[in-house]
Amino acid sequence: MSAAADQRYMARALELARRGAGFVEPNPLVGCVIVADPDPVTWEGAVIAEGWHERFGGPHAEIQALRGAVAGVPGATMYVTLEPCGHHGKTPPCTEAILAAGIRRVVVAHQDPFPAVSGQGLEVLRRAGVQVEVGVLEAEARQLNAPYLKRVQTGRPWIIAKWAMTWDGKLATRQRHSQWISNDQSRSIVHQLRGRMDAILIGHGTAEADDPRLTARPPGPRVATRIVLDSHARLSLDSQLVRTAHEAPLMVATQPFADRQRCQDLRHRGVEILELTAAQPAERLAQLLDELGRRQMTNVLVEGGSRVLGCCWDGQFVDEVQVFLAPKLIGGADALTPIAGYGHGQIPADATLEAVHVESLGSDLYLRARVAARVSP
């Protein structure tokens, strides 16, 4: 195949992989395209079959594609966005199926850092005489699976900081009124976002001021664990969060001095109590993220308020930012801004955010970006 053809087929595999978002975690998003042996004149091949990893515990993308290849694939090229596995997990090794099918060439976007795979799948294929090429659209594939890669490599989930604000950068008025800053279209996007998260994090102040449910409406492919940072376990037993604990998991992260009776009352209503013992807020947040990583949570949405967002930013925990900007001005020196905490002492020399995407949602603007650099405040 030509280099241009390789990129085109891998781009299609990445497009397929995205369909698994919210369904496959903690597994990675993977897509696969199988292409017939190329024409000797044009060096182009016909697509035989396609597949993607559709759900956690289900067949991997390579198996899905092979099952769809009705006419067989001997001599074909397989494009896959992540290294095929060569070990027995919830499913048999993909390498065995690839070899049995007679695939001649395998093009992989990048190696899988998961310890049970990590180069071993590629080595199995090479030893069997399969032509293996790695690195086609690698940057795009790594960006797609950044949450998975972070969890595997660091043990912590991908953190998305989200907020809605006015054009003058306010989360709420000086009287802490914040409903509603954004419009219906923006709130619909937020519910879609919640529906593919493993957890949603807020502070006690936000829980008390807004009395949110933090559920996705309509439901998405995942049901997020709602987490409230509440050192004293003061969350109201009549709050919507507690009243819906039977519908979606609810965790209250406390400290050792939290009232034992209050903790017991919350437990009786189906709330998990997680005690964080570190002395400083950023250290406790790190403890929490480590625990979420141990539970194989991949994506965590931080919905605020400003103190929690500030702690996440100061601790350099934020990986991605999603902001809904509404054409409203409220003013006020005491009105809340999105990110509290210590912040930077000087303006960073380089851009803090990259891969910036701006979309119009009626009157609102929807801004998304990745955090570019880990610069100490």
Side-chain angles (χ1 to χ4, degrees), residues 35 39 42 71 167 174 181 206 226 229 250 259 317 366:
V35 180
D39 182 278
T42 64
W167 272 30
R174 56 183 168 78
I181 288 177
T206 297
R226 290 93 45 88
L229 297 176
L250 175 61
D259 183 88
F317 301 129
Y366 177 28

Side-chain angles (χ1 to χ4, degrees), residues 151-232:
R151 184 181 55 76
V152 170
Q153 294 169 331
T154 72
R156 291 179 179 173
W158 184 261
I159 305 301
I160 302 173
K162 164 260 162 185
W163 64 83
M165 68 180 183
T166 61
W167 272 30
D168 55 341
K170 306 296 184 181
L171 285 182
T173 69
R174 56 183 168 78
Q175 297 176 339
R176 303 301 185 257
H177 182 258
S178 62
Q179 296 180 327
W180 294 100
I181 288 177
S182 57
N183 63 22
D184 290 343
Q185 287 175 268
S186 293
R187 293 198 290 277
S188 176
I189 295 294
V190 171
H191 283 288
Q192 293 175 34
L193 185 60
R194 287 176 179 174
R196 63 176 183 84
M197 293 292 110
D198 293 301
I200 301 171
L201 177 65
I202 64 171
H204 172 262
T206 297
E208 188 175 65
D210 296 346
D211 191 24
R213 277 182 284 175
L214 301 180
T215 53
R217 302 183 294 276
R222 306 187 81 75
V223 177
T225 296
R226 290 93 45 88
I227 304 174
V228 181
L229 297 176
D230 185 5
S231 296
H232 295 270

Side-chain angles (χ1 to χ4, degrees), residues 131-346:
Q131 181 184 347
V132 176
E133 296 181 29
V134 181
V136 176
L137 299 188
E138 179 176 356
E140 292 84 347
R142 287 186 177 277
Q143 185 177 53
L144 175 67
N145 267 319
Y148 165 78
L149 296 173
K150 181 191 176 186
R151 184 181 55 76
V152 170
Q153 294 169 331
T154 72
R156 291 179 179 173
W158 184 261
I159 305 301
I160 302 173
K162 164 260 162 185
W163 64 83
M165 68 180 183
T166 61
W167 272 30
D168 55 341
K170 306 296 184 181
L171 285 182
T173 69
R174 56 183 168 78
Q175 297 176 339
R176 303 301 185 257
H177 182 258
S178 62
Q179 296 180 327
W180 294 100
I181 288 177
S182 57
N183 63 22
D184 290 343
Q185 287 175 268
S186 293
R187 293 198 290 277
S188 176
I189 295 294
V190 171
H191 283 288
Q192 293 175 34
L193 185 60
R194 287 176 179 174
R196 63 176 183 84
M197 293 292 110
D198 293 301
I200 301 171
L201 177 65
I202 64 171
H204 172 262
T206 297
E208 188 175 65
D210 296 346
D211 191 24
R213 277 182 284 175
L214 301 180
T215 53
R217 302 183 294 276
R222 306 187 81 75
V223 177
T225 296
R226 290 93 45 88
I227 304 174
V228 181
L229 297 176
D230 185 5
S231 296
H232 295 270
R234 295 173 296 179
L235 182 64
S236 171
L237 302 179
D238 293 324
S239 66
Q240 292 197 85
L241 287 167
V242 174
R243 293 204 309 267
T244 58
H246 63 286
E247 300 174 13
L250 175 61
M251 175 193 294
V252 173
T254 68
Q255 288 187 255
F257 51 72
D259 183 88
R260 297 300 172 187
Q261 186 57 54
R262 286 288 300 175
C263 291
Q264 194 62 27
D265 290 342
L266 287 166
R267 287 192 182 98
H268 284 159
R269 286 163 174 79
V271 180
E272 178 184 359
I273 302 297
L274 179 68
E275 188 175 286
L276 303 176
T277 57
Q280 299 301 318
E283 294 172 343
R284 292 195 295 275
L285 190 52
Q287 275 188 310
L288 173 62
L289 297 181
D290 287 339
E291 175 60 26
L292 299 184
R294 281 191 288 271
R295 299 184 186 197
Q296 293 198 311
M297 293 190 180
T298 303
N299 293 285
V300 173
L301 181 66
V302 181
E303 292 209 24
S306 61
R307 290 178 62 187
V308 174
L309 287 166
C311 186
C312 287
W313 184 253
D314 288 343
Q316 300 185 351
F317 301 129
V318 179
D319 300 293
E320 182 178 344
V321 175
Q322 300 208 15
V323 177
F324 299 88
L325 183 62
K328 300 175 182 179
L329 300 172
I330 58 176
D334 295 328
L336 294 177
T337 55
I339 301 177
Y342 294 105
H344 292 278
Q346 297 180 337

Side-chain angles (χ1 to χ4, degrees), residues 101-117:
I103 294 289
R104 176 186 61 85
R105 177 173 176 251
V106 174
V107 181
V108 177
H110 66 93
Q111 184 173 309
D112 188 345
F114 187 66
V117 182

